[in-house]
Amino acid sequence: MSKARFTEVDDLHKLKKIFLAKGAERILLKKLSPNDNSKNQVYLGGDFESLNIIPNKGVYVDKGRKGSKRDRFKADVSMFWVNSNGDLYKAPLAQLILYPKYPEVRMSGFLQGCDAAPSHTMASRNEGRLLFIGIRGDGSIICHATNLENELTAQIQRIRNLEKVGVFLEIPLPSKIPADTRSVLLDTLRHINQKGWINSVRLCADGSLTECKSSNCGGYTLEAQLGIKPNGYSEPDFLGWEVKQHSVKYLNRPHSGGPITLMTPEPTGGFYKDKGVESFLRKFGYKDRKGREDRINFGGAYKLGQAVDLTGMTLHMPGYDVVTGKITDADGGLTLVSAEGEQAAIWHYADIMKLWNRKHSKAVYVPSLCETAPSRRYKFGNIVELGTGTDFLKFLNAVAKGKVYYDPGIKLEDASAIKARTKRRSQFRIKPSELKSLYNQFETVDTAIER
């Protein structure tokens, strides 16, 4: 049986209608170069930023052919081609390939095994070809491709001032999400600032508020004001923005506080992963320094290459070249090494890469003050900081320079009991003044002025 024939859409209005009908929430446009084809793959950027643009199923290490030294990462993509009739055809082998030694990301396998793909268009080296990518809420993408002689291509060429997103241009779509999320975010934060002191609360799953009494309630209180319910998902919080509250001494000085926790990933290798957190604490931890009985702690600030006296541990980055700023071994990772040379804990690059990009593509940092008497309450500042456009290599570079460091808060309570209680908290932190090193664009905004 012959494959079905792929037919092109010849009108932008019709393309939008088809994409919306098939669940697209955004449409991205890639103007294809001669090298963007099925043989050479489609270029998606000279860094790893496209991981937070194109939905994928998670990064993993691919060694290529047996014996090959071309270490690389891959991420499978749930992709469908859509034709002019709105028919969907799955591209089962579509994937992103991340080449860390260049670095760059390319899309591959988008024609293989598909019943009706635009093979003629995507296999050619012709100028003027366009690739449209629809981002769907379920984590899949739908794609359409056109040639230079198509009227749709001519319509696109007449449009000016399309927003740039990585290597893509964004085609505006009617959406429940406002086009200018930045303005909505700042407007909302301004109203929260104008409320003054706010009682410490937490938003429950059913939408109700409950009193929050612990020391980390600042984030919960801000999230409740934003309508964000606490969850364990590694996704942005508010209209695609990751919201980070942090305590300061003075609201008009957002860098007057302590370090900010960027993420809390559990180790994916080493003794910690193999034997568990309790065995890790019993082997590498130390007695509580405040004299609390029957308790074992593991703490300290671990910067690259600097041994911590408390534990004798040192943080290393095998597989990363601190001079070139590139990953040289895809199997590598941030590694905590004991004084005896044992790998106590490893955070493999592949496992934390997606977490970083998804959580920090767009982030806002909001300063806060806290009062505990007569009851716990918070006040949130009007001067906030916005970071947009990030890349996992920026994170690794910040680790290499000592700006980002490992600052765990792991403990074992009732250590002599049959069922001892463990607390896991593997934190990677940074000083507020160093945040700008993590983003392509970083700005300080006074919400009381900007509207």
Side-chain angles (χ1 to χ4, degrees):
M1 179 181 292
S2 61
K3 288 187 176 182
R5 181 172 173 269
F6 184 88
T7 53
E8 295 184 7
V9 178
D10 58 5
D11 177 76
L12 181 57
H13 176 73
K14 183 178 180 181
L15 180 81
K16 288 183 177 182
K17 187 176 180 180
I18 291 173
F19 271 53
L20 283 170
K22 298 303 176 183
E25 298 176 352
R26 302 174 68 190
I27 299 181
L28 302 176
L29 165 66
K30 173 73 164 65
K31 294 184 176 181
L32 300 176
S33 73
N35 282 335
D36 288 326
N37 54 56
S38 55
K39 180 179 179 180
N40 299 315
Q41 306 165 348
V42 173
Y43 176 79
L44 298 184
D47 54 28
F48 295 160
E49 185 181 359
S50 56
L51 282 181
N52 62 51
I53 300 173
I54 303 298
N56 60 81
K57 299 180 181 180
V59 178
Y60 59 93
V61 177
D62 174 67
K63 286 289 187 179
R65 298 183 303 273
K66 186 175 181 180
S68 172
K69 294 183 180 180
R70 295 180 60 193
D71 287 357
R72 58 191 182 180
F73 302 104
K74 285 186 176 181
D76 296 332
V77 177
S78 179
M79 173 181 170
F80 299 83
W81 289 105
V82 61
N83 64 14
S84 61
N85 296 322
D87 301 319
L88 293 177
Y89 297 92
K90 186 171 182 60
L93 301 181
Q95 58 186 198
L96 304 180
I97 302 181
L98 294 70
Y99 298 95
K101 294 181 182 180
Y102 295 113
E104 66 181 32
V105 178
R106 291 182 176 270
M107 185 164 68
S108 177
F110 44 81
L111 298 181
Q112 295 173 271
C114 183
D115 291 335
S119 301
H120 176 74
T121 300
M122 295 305 298
S124 79
R125 298 177 58 88
N126 294 338
E127 295 277 3
R129 295 169 298 134
L130 300 178
L131 175 64
F132 299 89
I133 301 177
I135 310 297
R136 303 207 291 183
D138 64 358
S140 66
I141 61 173
I142 53 175
C143 298
H144 188 83
T146 63
N147 277 293
L148 176 62
E149 54 271 15
N150 191 313
E151 174 58 25
L152 172 57
T153 304
Q155 291 176 12
I156 292 294
Q157 291 174 340
R158 292 194 289 268
I159 300 176
R160 297 290 182 267
N161 301 320
L162 291 176
E163 182 180 353
K164 190 173 176 62
V165 182
V167 299
F168 305 98
L169 297 173
E170 181 148 13
I171 306 294
L173 272 180
S175 172
K176 295 180 181 178
I177 299 177
D180 187 2
T181 60
R182 179 183 181 278
S183 293
V184 176
L185 172 70
L186 294 177
D187 185 60
T188 305
L189 292 175
R190 181 175 67 253
H191 287 303
I192 294 173
N193 164 255
Q194 291 171 346
K195 290 182 179 181
W197 288 102
I198 299 172
N199 290 333
S200 179
V201 293
R202 178 183 176 121
L203 184 63
C204 301
D206 62 4
S208 63
L209 295 175
T210 185
E211 184 180 5
C212 191
K213 298 181 180 181
S214 63
S215 59
N216 64 342
C217 289
Y220 288 130
T221 302
L222 179 58
E223 289 174 352
Q225 295 297 312
L226 293 167
I228 303 167
K229 298 175 182 177
N231 62 71
Y233 300 109
S234 299
E235 296 299 324
D237 298 314
F238 184 81
L239 298 177
W241 290 84
E242 171 76 359
V243 179
K244 288 282 189 182
Q245 168 270 345
H246 61 107
S247 61
V248 294
K249 294 180 180 178
Y250 311 100
L251 279 185
N252 61 345
R253 292 167 55 190
H255 296 170
S256 62
I260 295 174
T261 300
L262 296 171
M263 57 180 177
T264 57
E266 281 288 283
T268 55
F271 186 93
Y272 186 110
K273 175 66 174 178
D274 296 337
K275 303 298 184 180
V277 62
E278 182 173 341
S279 296
F280 173 88
L281 283 163
R282 293 189 185 280
K283 182 170 184 176
F284 300 112
Y286 50 86
K287 289 184 178 181
D288 184 79
R289 300 172 74 202
K290 294 182 179 180
R292 286 168 288 198
E293 293 295 328
D294 214 17
R295 173 167 157 167
I296 300 174
N297 292 340
F298 186 86
Y302 298 83
K303 294 186 177 182
L304 184 68
Q306 300 179 19
V308 172
D309 292 338
L310 268 174
T311 63
M313 297 274 192
T314 306
L315 184 67
H316 295 279
M317 299 179 71
Y320 177 81
D321 189 323
V322 297
V323 177
T324 63
K326 297 179 181 180
I327 296 173
T328 57
D329 182 358
D331 278 326
L334 304 178
T335 305
L336 203 59
V337 180
S338 72
E340 295 71 34
E342 183 173 4
Q343 294 181 334
I346 304 171
W347 293 264
H348 291 101
Y349 298 137
D351 294 304
I352 57 176
M353 187 186 303
K354 183 180 179 181
L355 173 62
W356 172 256
N357 279 348
R358 291 293 291 167
K359 288 284 280 185
H360 294 270
S361 174
K362 296 190 297 183
V364 58
Y365 296 87
V366 183
S368 72
L369 294 177
C370 176
E371 284 186 347
T372 57
S375 61
R376 182 175 290 273
R377 60 180 187 164
Y378 293 90
K379 181 187 286 187
F380 300 98
N382 57 293
I383 299 176
V384 302
E385 295 179 304
L386 304 176
T388 56
T390 189
D391 173 12
F392 182 61
L393 294 177
K394 288 184 178 296
F395 172 80
L396 292 183
N397 183 257
V399 175
K401 293 181 177 179
K403 296 178 180 180
V404 171
Y405 57 95
Y406 177 55
D407 186 11
I410 307 173
K411 64 182 180 181
L412 183 67
E413 296 177 306
D414 300 328
S416 62
I418 296 176
K419 291 186 177 180
R421 294 181 292 121
T422 60
K423 177 186 176 182
R424 310 179 185 210
R425 190 161 181 83
S426 291
Q427 306 173 121
F428 286 91
R429 311 182 85 184
I430 190 171
K431 291 181 179 179
S433 59
E434 300 288 2
L435 283 169
K436 59 182 178 293
S437 65
L438 300 175
Y439 298 94
N440 295 329
Q441 298 85 36
F442 194 79
E443 56 180 330
T444 301
V445 177
D446 188 341
T447 61
I449 298 175
E450 183 163 338
R451 297 179 181 266

